[in-house]
Amino acid sequence: MWPSSACCRAGNGKAAWVPPHRPDKGCEMDSEALKKYSALHPKPAGLTLQYGTAGFRARAEQLDHVMFRMGLLAVLRSKAAMSAIGIMVTASHNPEEDNGIKLIDPLGQMLHPSWEEYATQLANAEDQDLQKIITEICQKAAVNQHKDASVFIGRDTRPSSEKLSQSAIDGVSVLGGQYHDYGLVTTPQLHYMVCCQNTQGQYGKATLEGYYEKLSKAFMELIKQCSSSGERQRQLKIDCANGIGALKLAEMAPYLPKEILIHLYNDGTKEKLNHLCGADFVKVHQKPPRGLDLRPNERCCSLDGDADRIVYYYKDEAGLFHLIDGDKIAALISIFLKELLAKVGQTLKMAVVQTAYANGSSTRYLEETLKVPVHCVKTGVKHLHHKAQEFDVGVYFEANGHGTVLFSKAAETKIRQLAKEEKDDETREAAKVLENTIDLINQTVGDAISDMLLIEAILALKGLTVQQWDAVYTDLPNRLLKVQVADRRVIDTADAERRAVTPPGLQEKIDALVRKYRLSRAFVRPSGTEDVVRIYAEADTQENADALAHEVSLAVYHLAGGRGAPPQPI
């Protein structure tokens, strides 16, 4: 921890100590300072925002007041949790003109749902009501104003991020909080720092060097196990979405062993963030990013704008593009972990957590071929993470490439003990591989850099080519569509969003349409942020998947108050 009477701003790699603003009246709020600072960050008239899974996201110019107020909230959360709290300024895969902010809870997890409500209240409060809302939050959440508060702040590479993170710092300072400004970091790196700080270094060192050292050491230990056959030097082309991932991978490169050679593309020096590149673009458009020359059978991957998602892909000899998404990443990791868990011979319970968007073929492969239990939850990382915590080993990935693996405390302790003390050579070696795998994984949140190194290590250890990995199962053709509606709230869902409860008659219509096609499935769900209904359909052929998606979109349009012209066939 830094001295209690100071804040640290770690811009440009240099630490400068600046005294924080301290309230005048002991533990009470300094209303004058709050009023003064609030006037510097006024709320635009008529703007209402909702804190969701991704925090707040909007056009950058609309967010100054939100940043200031989330600085205030982070101090309250820190005092309530008696721990460091993170503030990440990013809008992930959104266009460069947007920005956003999300708060990180003590163990690097997402903000507690009750505090999401406080965040929404505080962001939407009129300027004159700010002090009243803060007092209410303090009462409801039993915030002890006498406690110290410490906040870790990070930001992505958007042109607006530096100024907006300064607004958040203003909010932290006005309530007397201490802060540590990490400057430019990936979202998962900030989650990692917060967890390290609050576990008193048990999870690792709360520095970028600590992050690079921990991951690269675990990666090196894993690939040491590789037989000398296969690729001598593994080459990987990485599309960095013109974002923060490029800067951080360039910083990490010297820590990586010579066995892996990474080539960075879309590094932010020429083009705009996320423009025609990045994991989201590749996944949605099913084609390679601009700015990366894709040669046959080369292994490539794309990160998203804040480096918490990853997808892989390659082009075959015939020039056909093959996407390897989060479902297939989860399958590869599950194959690897299942074999190791069998070798260590412990009765550790492993499961995979998916959402309704997971391809039906992946679910079938995991359940029927790999014999690993699969659980389906509502869309949103917090739901996946929460469910994965129920198992000794919980693997979760969304199809978009966001995911990680969670190990229970008991499983981790057992694995580390076996790696140290087990007499049987084979069991001990398998436990060591598992131990290094635990150290390579960022368990706080999906982390594209950590996931990428894990995937590269597994492919090397198993001697698999990208084509062999792709061939573990064949995705069912699918189609994603969206329909504009007057009010997205008319759609209510159940069964992990796989069935529509309202409006009346919609689910029956979907069921009837699904019966027309082989191996088919379809579901609809309202967007969390806009008046749009999202439609997913899969079937035995692309033609049938497209036809089913279109027919379901028409049903939504007619039964759920569609706006504009009816959906056209694909």
Side-chain angles (χ1 to χ4, degrees), residues 215-227 231 234 236 256-257 259-260 299 312 332-333 336-337 339-340 433-434 436-441 449-465 469:
L215 268 61
S216 57
K217 181 174 177 287
F219 178 72
M220 278 193 261
E221 288 297 325
L222 282 174
I223 60 167
K224 257 191 213 165
Q225 313 277 328
C226 292
S227 60
E231 280 180 79
R234 305 185 65 78
L236 179 66
L256 294 173
E259 284 84 354
I260 183 165
R299 197 168 59 254
Y312 269 68
L332 179 73
I333 294 170
F336 178 66
L337 291 176
E339 281 179 12
L340 288 169
V433 174
L434 274 171
N436 286 312
T437 302
I438 290 169
D439 289 336
L440 183 52
I441 290 164
I449 294 174
S450 157
D451 290 339
M452 176 194 87
L453 291 173
L454 177 62
I455 290 161
E456 289 301 307
I458 295 172
L459 293 175
L461 282 164
K462 296 190 70 60
L464 287 173
T465 63
W469 171 21

Short mmCIF file of all heavy atoms in Angstrom, two decimals, residues 215-227 231 234 236 256-257 259-260 299 312 332-333 336-337 339-340 433-434 436-441 449-465 469:
data_model
loop_
_atom_site.label_atom_id
_atom_site.label_comp_id
_atom_site.label_asym_id
_atom_site.label_seq_id
_atom_site.Cartn_x
_atom_site.Cartn_y
_atom_site.Cartn_z
N LEU A 215 2.47 -14.62 -15.64
CA LEU A 215 1.95 -15.33 -16.81
C LEU A 215 3.05 -15.96 -17.65
O LEU A 215 2.94 -17.11 -18.07
CB LEU A 215 1.10 -14.38 -17.67
CG LEU A 215 -0.40 -14.37 -17.36
CD1 LEU A 215 -0.68 -13.92 -15.93
CD2 LEU A 215 -1.16 -13.47 -18.33
N SER A 216 4.13 -15.21 -17.88
CA SER A 216 5.19 -15.74 -18.75
C SER A 216 5.92 -16.91 -18.09
O SER A 216 6.28 -17.87 -18.75
CB SER A 216 6.18 -14.65 -19.15
OG SER A 216 6.74 -14.06 -18.01
N LYS A 217 6.09 -16.86 -16.76
CA LYS A 217 6.75 -17.96 -16.05
C LYS A 217 5.89 -19.24 -16.16
O LYS A 217 6.41 -20.32 -16.47
CB LYS A 217 6.95 -17.59 -14.57
CG LYS A 217 7.64 -18.66 -13.75
CD LYS A 217 7.93 -18.15 -12.33
CE LYS A 217 8.57 -19.24 -11.47
NZ LYS A 217 7.62 -20.30 -11.06
N ALA A 218 4.59 -19.10 -15.93
CA ALA A 218 3.68 -20.26 -16.03
C ALA A 218 3.68 -20.82 -17.45
O ALA A 218 3.71 -22.04 -17.66
CB ALA A 218 2.27 -19.86 -15.60
N PHE A 219 3.67 -19.92 -18.44
CA PHE A 219 3.68 -20.34 -19.85
C PHE A 219 4.96 -21.11 -20.17
O PHE A 219 4.93 -22.17 -20.79
CB PHE A 219 3.53 -19.10 -20.74
CG PHE A 219 3.58 -19.40 -22.22
CD1 PHE A 219 2.52 -20.04 -22.85
CD2 PHE A 219 4.69 -19.05 -22.98
CE1 PHE A 219 2.57 -20.32 -24.21
CE2 PHE A 219 4.75 -19.32 -24.34
CZ PHE A 219 3.68 -19.96 -24.95
N MET A 220 6.09 -20.57 -19.72
CA MET A 220 7.39 -21.24 -19.97
C MET A 220 7.44 -22.62 -19.34
O MET A 220 7.91 -23.57 -19.95
CB MET A 220 8.54 -20.38 -19.46
CG MET A 220 8.94 -19.29 -20.44
SD MET A 220 10.51 -18.55 -20.01
CE MET A 220 9.97 -17.08 -19.19
N GLU A 221 6.95 -22.71 -18.10
CA GLU A 221 6.94 -24.00 -17.42
C GLU A 221 6.10 -25.03 -18.19
O GLU A 221 6.45 -26.19 -18.28
CB GLU A 221 6.38 -23.85 -15.99
CG GLU A 221 7.30 -23.13 -15.03
CD GLU A 221 8.61 -23.87 -14.78
OE1 GLU A 221 8.61 -25.11 -14.75
OE2 GLU A 221 9.66 -23.20 -14.65
N LEU A 222 4.98 -24.57 -18.76
CA LEU A 222 4.11 -25.48 -19.51
C LEU A 222 4.77 -25.96 -20.79
O LEU A 222 4.78 -27.15 -21.08
CB LEU A 222 2.78 -24.79 -19.84
CG LEU A 222 1.76 -24.70 -18.71
CD1 LEU A 222 0.57 -23.86 -19.13
CD2 LEU A 222 1.27 -26.09 -18.29
N ILE A 223 5.35 -25.02 -21.57
CA ILE A 223 5.88 -25.47 -22.87
C ILE A 223 7.21 -26.20 -22.74
O ILE A 223 7.63 -26.86 -23.67
CB ILE A 223 5.95 -24.33 -23.92
CG1 ILE A 223 6.84 -23.20 -23.46
CG2 ILE A 223 4.57 -23.84 -24.31
CD1 ILE A 223 7.17 -22.24 -24.58
N LYS A 224 7.82 -26.14 -21.55
CA LYS A 224 9.01 -26.97 -21.28
C LYS A 224 8.69 -28.45 -21.43
O LYS A 224 9.53 -29.26 -21.75
CB LYS A 224 9.45 -26.76 -19.82
CG LYS A 224 10.64 -25.86 -19.63
CD LYS A 224 11.09 -25.98 -18.17
CE LYS A 224 11.65 -24.69 -17.64
NZ LYS A 224 11.75 -24.71 -16.18
N GLN A 225 7.41 -28.78 -21.15
CA GLN A 225 6.97 -30.18 -21.18
C GLN A 225 6.83 -30.72 -22.62
O GLN A 225 6.60 -31.90 -22.81
CB GLN A 225 5.58 -30.32 -20.52
CG GLN A 225 5.43 -29.62 -19.19
CD GLN A 225 5.97 -30.46 -18.05
OE1 GLN A 225 5.91 -31.67 -18.10
NE2 GLN A 225 6.52 -29.80 -17.06
N CYS A 226 6.89 -29.81 -23.61
CA CYS A 226 6.64 -30.23 -24.99
C CYS A 226 7.76 -31.12 -25.50
O CYS A 226 8.93 -30.87 -25.25
CB CYS A 226 6.54 -29.02 -25.93
SG CYS A 226 5.09 -28.07 -25.59
N SER A 227 7.36 -32.13 -26.27
CA SER A 227 8.37 -32.94 -26.94
C SER A 227 8.98 -32.08 -28.05
O SER A 227 8.36 -31.14 -28.53
CB SER A 227 7.72 -34.19 -27.53
OG SER A 227 6.75 -33.79 -28.47
N GLU A 231 6.12 -27.99 -34.09
CA GLU A 231 6.72 -26.69 -34.45
C GLU A 231 7.86 -26.36 -33.48
O GLU A 231 7.68 -26.41 -32.26
CB GLU A 231 5.66 -25.58 -34.30
CG GLU A 231 4.69 -25.48 -35.46
CD GLU A 231 3.70 -24.36 -35.20
OE1 GLU A 231 4.07 -23.19 -35.41
OE2 GLU A 231 2.56 -24.65 -34.79
N ARG A 234 6.76 -21.42 -32.44
CA ARG A 234 5.34 -21.20 -32.73
C ARG A 234 5.14 -19.75 -33.14
O ARG A 234 5.51 -18.84 -32.41
CB ARG A 234 4.49 -21.52 -31.50
CG ARG A 234 4.72 -22.93 -30.97
CD ARG A 234 3.78 -23.25 -29.83
NE ARG A 234 2.39 -23.28 -30.26
CZ ARG A 234 1.83 -24.29 -30.93
NH1 ARG A 234 2.55 -25.32 -31.29
NH2 ARG A 234 0.56 -24.23 -31.27
N LEU A 236 2.48 -16.73 -34.30
CA LEU A 236 1.08 -16.36 -34.17
C LEU A 236 0.89 -14.92 -34.63
O LEU A 236 1.61 -14.02 -34.19
CB LEU A 236 0.65 -16.51 -32.71
CG LEU A 236 -0.80 -16.13 -32.36
CD1 LEU A 236 -1.79 -17.07 -33.03
CD2 LEU A 236 -1.01 -16.14 -30.84
N LEU A 256 8.44 -13.17 -22.90
CA LEU A 256 8.03 -14.46 -23.48
C LEU A 256 9.23 -15.24 -24.00
O LEU A 256 10.19 -14.65 -24.49
CB LEU A 256 7.01 -14.23 -24.60
CG LEU A 256 5.67 -13.64 -24.16
CD1 LEU A 256 4.81 -13.30 -25.36
CD2 LEU A 256 4.92 -14.59 -23.23
N PRO A 257 9.15 -16.58 -23.93
CA PRO A 257 10.28 -17.39 -24.40
C PRO A 257 10.40 -17.35 -25.92
O PRO A 257 9.43 -17.03 -26.63
CB PRO A 257 9.92 -18.79 -23.92
CG PRO A 257 8.44 -18.80 -23.83
CD PRO A 257 8.04 -17.41 -23.44
N GLU A 259 10.40 -19.63 -27.91
CA GLU A 259 9.57 -20.66 -28.57
C GLU A 259 8.30 -20.08 -29.18
O GLU A 259 7.64 -20.73 -29.98
CB GLU A 259 9.18 -21.77 -27.57
CG GLU A 259 10.28 -22.74 -27.25
CD GLU A 259 11.21 -22.25 -26.13
OE1 GLU A 259 11.07 -21.10 -25.68
OE2 GLU A 259 12.08 -23.04 -25.73
N ILE A 260 7.93 -18.89 -28.76
CA ILE A 260 6.73 -18.27 -29.37
C ILE A 260 7.11 -16.91 -29.94
O ILE A 260 7.77 -16.10 -29.30
CB ILE A 260 5.55 -18.14 -28.36
CG1 ILE A 260 4.32 -17.55 -29.08
CG2 ILE A 260 5.91 -17.29 -27.15
CD1 ILE A 260 3.02 -17.70 -28.35
N ARG A 299 -2.02 -19.65 -38.22
CA ARG A 299 -2.83 -19.48 -37.02
C ARG A 299 -2.87 -17.99 -36.66
O ARG A 299 -1.84 -17.35 -36.49
CB ARG A 299 -2.18 -20.28 -35.89
CG ARG A 299 -3.08 -20.54 -34.70
CD ARG A 299 -2.50 -21.58 -33.74
NE ARG A 299 -1.20 -21.18 -33.20
CZ ARG A 299 -0.05 -21.71 -33.57
NH1 ARG A 299 -0.01 -22.64 -34.50
NH2 ARG A 299 1.09 -21.30 -33.02
N TYR A 312 -9.98 -17.10 -32.48
CA TYR A 312 -8.94 -17.59 -33.39
C TYR A 312 -9.56 -17.83 -34.77
O TYR A 312 -10.79 -17.95 -34.89
CB TYR A 312 -8.36 -18.91 -32.88
CG TYR A 312 -7.16 -18.77 -31.98
CD1 TYR A 312 -7.29 -18.21 -30.70
CD2 TYR A 312 -5.90 -19.21 -32.37
CE1 TYR A 312 -6.18 -18.09 -29.86
CE2 TYR A 312 -4.79 -19.09 -31.55
CZ TYR A 312 -4.94 -18.54 -30.29
OH TYR A 312 -3.84 -18.42 -29.48
N LEU A 332 -11.51 -26.91 -26.29
CA LEU A 332 -10.08 -27.23 -26.24
C LEU A 332 -9.58 -27.26 -24.78
O LEU A 332 -8.89 -28.20 -24.36
CB LEU A 332 -9.27 -26.20 -27.03
CG LEU A 332 -7.74 -26.41 -27.02
CD1 LEU A 332 -7.35 -27.59 -27.89
CD2 LEU A 332 -7.02 -25.15 -27.48
N ILE A 333 -9.94 -26.24 -24.02
CA ILE A 333 -9.51 -26.17 -22.62
C ILE A 333 -10.10 -27.33 -21.82
O ILE A 333 -9.42 -27.93 -20.97
CB ILE A 333 -9.90 -24.80 -22.01
CG1 ILE A 333 -9.11 -23.67 -22.69
CG2 ILE A 333 -9.67 -24.77 -20.50
CD1 ILE A 333 -9.57 -22.26 -22.34
N PHE A 336 -8.22 -30.63 -22.46
CA PHE A 336 -6.94 -30.56 -21.77
C PHE A 336 -7.10 -30.80 -20.26
O PHE A 336 -6.42 -31.65 -19.67
CB PHE A 336 -6.34 -29.18 -22.04
CG PHE A 336 -5.02 -28.90 -21.38
CD1 PHE A 336 -3.88 -29.61 -21.74
CD2 PHE A 336 -4.90 -27.90 -20.42
CE1 PHE A 336 -2.64 -29.33 -21.14
CE2 PHE A 336 -3.68 -27.61 -19.83
CZ PHE A 336 -2.55 -28.34 -20.19
N LEU A 337 -8.04 -30.08 -19.64
CA LEU A 337 -8.22 -30.18 -18.20
C LEU A 337 -8.79 -31.54 -17.79
O LEU A 337 -8.40 -32.11 -16.77
CB LEU A 337 -9.15 -29.06 -17.69
CG LEU A 337 -8.57 -27.64 -17.75
CD1 LEU A 337 -9.61 -26.62 -17.32
CD2 LEU A 337 -7.32 -27.51 -16.88
N GLU A 339 -8.32 -34.47 -19.19
CA GLU A 339 -7.23 -35.46 -19.21
C GLU A 339 -6.35 -35.32 -17.97
O GLU A 339 -5.98 -36.31 -17.35
CB GLU A 339 -6.36 -35.25 -20.45
CG GLU A 339 -6.96 -35.82 -21.72
CD GLU A 339 -6.07 -35.57 -22.93
OE1 GLU A 339 -4.90 -35.16 -22.76
OE2 GLU A 339 -6.56 -35.79 -24.06
N LEU A 340 -5.99 -34.08 -17.63
CA LEU A 340 -5.12 -33.85 -16.48
C LEU A 340 -5.80 -34.25 -15.17
O LEU A 340 -5.18 -34.86 -14.29
CB LEU A 340 -4.70 -32.38 -16.41
CG LEU A 340 -3.70 -31.93 -17.48
CD1 LEU A 340 -3.58 -30.41 -17.47
CD2 LEU A 340 -2.32 -32.56 -17.24
N VAL A 433 1.51 -29.64 -14.14
CA VAL A 433 0.95 -28.99 -15.34
C VAL A 433 -0.32 -28.22 -14.95
O VAL A 433 -0.52 -27.08 -15.37
CB VAL A 433 0.66 -30.02 -16.46
CG1 VAL A 433 -0.06 -29.37 -17.63
CG2 VAL A 433 1.96 -30.67 -16.95
N LEU A 434 -1.15 -28.82 -14.11
CA LEU A 434 -2.36 -28.15 -13.64
C LEU A 434 -2.01 -26.90 -12.83
O LEU A 434 -2.65 -25.86 -12.97
CB LEU A 434 -3.20 -29.09 -12.78
CG LEU A 434 -4.18 -30.01 -13.51
CD1 LEU A 434 -4.77 -31.03 -12.55
CD2 LEU A 434 -5.31 -29.21 -14.19
N ASN A 436 0.66 -24.98 -13.09
CA ASN A 436 1.09 -23.92 -14.01
C ASN A 436 -0.08 -23.36 -14.82
O ASN A 436 -0.12 -22.18 -15.14
CB ASN A 436 2.19 -24.42 -14.94
CG ASN A 436 3.51 -24.57 -14.20
OD1 ASN A 436 3.92 -23.66 -13.49
ND2 ASN A 436 4.15 -25.72 -14.33
N THR A 437 -1.05 -24.23 -15.12
CA THR A 437 -2.25 -23.79 -15.83
C THR A 437 -3.03 -22.80 -14.96
O THR A 437 -3.48 -21.75 -15.44
CB THR A 437 -3.14 -25.00 -16.20
OG1 THR A 437 -2.37 -25.90 -17.00
CG2 THR A 437 -4.38 -24.58 -16.97
N ILE A 438 -3.15 -23.12 -13.66
CA ILE A 438 -3.83 -22.21 -12.73
C ILE A 438 -3.14 -20.85 -12.73
O ILE A 438 -3.78 -19.80 -12.76
CB ILE A 438 -3.86 -22.81 -11.30
CG1 ILE A 438 -4.80 -24.02 -11.25
CG2 ILE A 438 -4.28 -21.77 -10.26
CD1 ILE A 438 -4.71 -24.85 -9.97
N ASP A 439 -1.79 -20.87 -12.72
CA ASP A 439 -1.05 -19.60 -12.67
C ASP A 439 -1.11 -18.82 -13.98
O ASP A 439 -0.92 -17.60 -13.98
CB ASP A 439 0.42 -19.88 -12.30
CG ASP A 439 0.56 -20.29 -10.84
OD1 ASP A 439 -0.33 -19.94 -10.04
OD2 ASP A 439 1.55 -20.97 -10.49
N LEU A 440 -1.34 -19.52 -15.08
CA LEU A 440 -1.42 -18.84 -16.38
C LEU A 440 -2.79 -18.20 -16.60
O LEU A 440 -2.93 -17.24 -17.35
CB LEU A 440 -1.12 -19.85 -17.50
CG LEU A 440 -1.08 -19.34 -18.94
CD1 LEU A 440 -0.16 -18.13 -19.08
CD2 LEU A 440 -0.64 -20.44 -19.89
N ILE A 441 -3.80 -18.73 -15.93
CA ILE A 441 -5.17 -18.24 -16.13
C ILE A 441 -5.45 -17.03 -15.22
O ILE A 441 -5.10 -17.04 -14.05
CB ILE A 441 -6.19 -19.37 -15.83
CG1 ILE A 441 -6.11 -20.44 -16.92
CG2 ILE A 441 -7.60 -18.83 -15.71
CD1 ILE A 441 -6.77 -21.76 -16.55
N ILE A 449 -5.10 -11.95 -23.34
CA ILE A 449 -3.67 -12.28 -23.34
C ILE A 449 -3.43 -13.60 -22.61
O ILE A 449 -2.73 -14.49 -23.10
CB ILE A 449 -2.84 -11.12 -22.71
CG1 ILE A 449 -2.93 -9.88 -23.61
CG2 ILE A 449 -1.39 -11.54 -22.50
CD1 ILE A 449 -2.26 -8.63 -23.02
N SER A 450 -4.03 -13.75 -21.45
CA SER A 450 -3.91 -14.98 -20.67
C SER A 450 -4.52 -16.17 -21.44
O SER A 450 -3.91 -17.24 -21.53
CB SER A 450 -4.61 -14.78 -19.33
OG SER A 450 -4.99 -16.00 -18.76
N ASP A 451 -5.72 -15.97 -22.00
CA ASP A 451 -6.37 -17.04 -22.77
C ASP A 451 -5.53 -17.45 -23.98
O ASP A 451 -5.41 -18.63 -24.30
CB ASP A 451 -7.77 -16.59 -23.24
CG ASP A 451 -8.77 -16.47 -22.10
OD1 ASP A 451 -8.54 -17.08 -21.04
OD2 ASP A 451 -9.77 -15.75 -22.26
N MET A 452 -4.95 -16.46 -24.65
CA MET A 452 -4.10 -16.73 -25.82
C MET A 452 -2.90 -17.61 -25.45
O MET A 452 -2.58 -18.59 -26.13
CB MET A 452 -3.63 -15.42 -26.42
CG MET A 452 -2.68 -15.55 -27.59
SD MET A 452 -1.89 -13.96 -27.94
CE MET A 452 -0.50 -14.03 -26.83
N LEU A 453 -2.24 -17.27 -24.35
CA LEU A 453 -1.07 -18.06 -23.92
C LEU A 453 -1.49 -19.47 -23.51
O LEU A 453 -0.77 -20.44 -23.77
CB LEU A 453 -0.35 -17.35 -22.78
CG LEU A 453 0.36 -16.03 -23.16
CD1 LEU A 453 0.88 -15.32 -21.92
CD2 LEU A 453 1.50 -16.28 -24.15
N LEU A 454 -2.65 -19.59 -22.87
CA LEU A 454 -3.15 -20.92 -22.48
C LEU A 454 -3.43 -21.76 -23.72
O LEU A 454 -3.04 -22.94 -23.79
CB LEU A 454 -4.41 -20.78 -21.62
CG LEU A 454 -5.08 -22.10 -21.21
CD1 LEU A 454 -4.15 -22.94 -20.34
CD2 LEU A 454 -6.38 -21.83 -20.46
N ILE A 455 -4.10 -21.16 -24.71
CA ILE A 455 -4.41 -21.88 -25.95
C ILE A 455 -3.12 -22.32 -26.64
O ILE A 455 -2.99 -23.48 -27.08
CB ILE A 455 -5.27 -21.00 -26.89
CG1 ILE A 455 -6.67 -20.82 -26.31
CG2 ILE A 455 -5.34 -21.58 -28.30
CD1 ILE A 455 -7.45 -19.64 -26.88
N GLU A 456 -2.14 -21.41 -26.75
CA GLU A 456 -0.87 -21.74 -27.40
C GLU A 456 -0.16 -22.87 -26.65
O GLU A 456 0.41 -23.77 -27.28
CB GLU A 456 0.02 -20.49 -27.48
CG GLU A 456 -0.47 -19.45 -28.47
CD GLU A 456 -0.59 -19.99 -29.90
OE1 GLU A 456 0.40 -20.55 -30.40
OE2 GLU A 456 -1.68 -19.88 -30.50
N ALA A 457 -0.20 -22.84 -25.33
CA ALA A 457 0.44 -23.90 -24.54
C ALA A 457 -0.26 -25.25 -24.76
O ALA A 457 0.41 -26.28 -24.94
CB ALA A 457 0.42 -23.53 -23.06
N ILE A 458 -1.60 -25.24 -24.79
CA ILE A 458 -2.35 -26.51 -24.98
C ILE A 458 -2.08 -27.08 -26.37
O ILE A 458 -1.80 -28.28 -26.52
CB ILE A 458 -3.87 -26.29 -24.76
CG1 ILE A 458 -4.16 -25.92 -23.30
CG2 ILE A 458 -4.65 -27.55 -25.14
CD1 ILE A 458 -5.60 -25.50 -23.02
N LEU A 459 -2.12 -26.23 -27.40
CA LEU A 459 -1.86 -26.71 -28.76
C LEU A 459 -0.46 -27.31 -28.86
O LEU A 459 -0.25 -28.34 -29.48
CB LEU A 459 -2.03 -25.57 -29.78
CG LEU A 459 -3.44 -25.02 -29.98
CD1 LEU A 459 -3.43 -23.82 -30.93
CD2 LEU A 459 -4.41 -26.08 -30.50
N ALA A 460 0.52 -26.67 -28.21
CA ALA A 460 1.90 -27.16 -28.23
C ALA A 460 2.01 -28.48 -27.47
O ALA A 460 2.61 -29.45 -27.96
CB ALA A 460 2.84 -26.11 -27.62
N LEU A 461 1.43 -28.54 -26.27
CA LEU A 461 1.52 -29.75 -25.45
C LEU A 461 0.84 -30.95 -26.11
O LEU A 461 1.30 -32.09 -26.00
CB LEU A 461 0.89 -29.51 -24.08
CG LEU A 461 1.74 -28.72 -23.07
CD1 LEU A 461 0.88 -28.21 -21.93
CD2 LEU A 461 2.87 -29.58 -22.54
N LYS A 462 -0.26 -30.67 -26.79
CA LYS A 462 -1.01 -31.77 -27.43
C LYS A 462 -0.58 -32.01 -28.88
O LYS A 462 -1.09 -32.90 -29.54
CB LYS A 462 -2.53 -31.50 -27.35
CG LYS A 462 -3.04 -31.48 -25.91
CD LYS A 462 -4.54 -31.47 -25.82
CE LYS A 462 -5.19 -32.76 -26.25
NZ LYS A 462 -4.78 -33.93 -25.47
N GLY A 463 0.33 -31.16 -29.36
CA GLY A 463 0.80 -31.32 -30.74
C GLY A 463 -0.30 -31.13 -31.77
O GLY A 463 -0.33 -31.79 -32.81
N LEU A 464 -1.22 -30.22 -31.48
CA LEU A 464 -2.37 -30.00 -32.38
C LEU A 464 -2.13 -28.82 -33.31
O LEU A 464 -1.60 -27.79 -32.89
CB LEU A 464 -3.63 -29.69 -31.57
CG LEU A 464 -4.30 -30.82 -30.80
CD1 LEU A 464 -5.43 -30.25 -29.94
CD2 LEU A 464 -4.85 -31.89 -31.74
N THR A 465 -2.54 -28.97 -34.57
CA THR A 465 -2.55 -27.83 -35.49
C THR A 465 -3.89 -27.11 -35.30
O THR A 465 -4.83 -27.65 -34.70
CB THR A 465 -2.45 -28.27 -36.95
OG1 THR A 465 -3.63 -29.06 -37.25
CG2 THR A 465 -1.20 -29.11 -37.21
N TRP A 469 -7.61 -28.73 -34.25
CA TRP A 469 -8.46 -28.16 -33.19
C TRP A 469 -9.85 -27.84 -33.75
O TRP A 469 -10.88 -28.20 -33.17
CB TRP A 469 -7.76 -26.92 -32.64
CG TRP A 469 -8.57 -26.07 -31.69
CD1 TRP A 469 -9.66 -26.46 -30.95
CD2 TRP A 469 -8.33 -24.69 -31.36
NE1 TRP A 469 -10.10 -25.39 -30.18
CE2 TRP A 469 -9.32 -24.31 -30.40
CE3 TRP A 469 -7.39 -23.75 -31.76
CZ2 TRP A 469 -9.38 -23.03 -29.87
CZ3 TRP A 469 -7.44 -22.48 -31.21
CH2 TRP A 469 -8.43 -22.12 -30.28
#
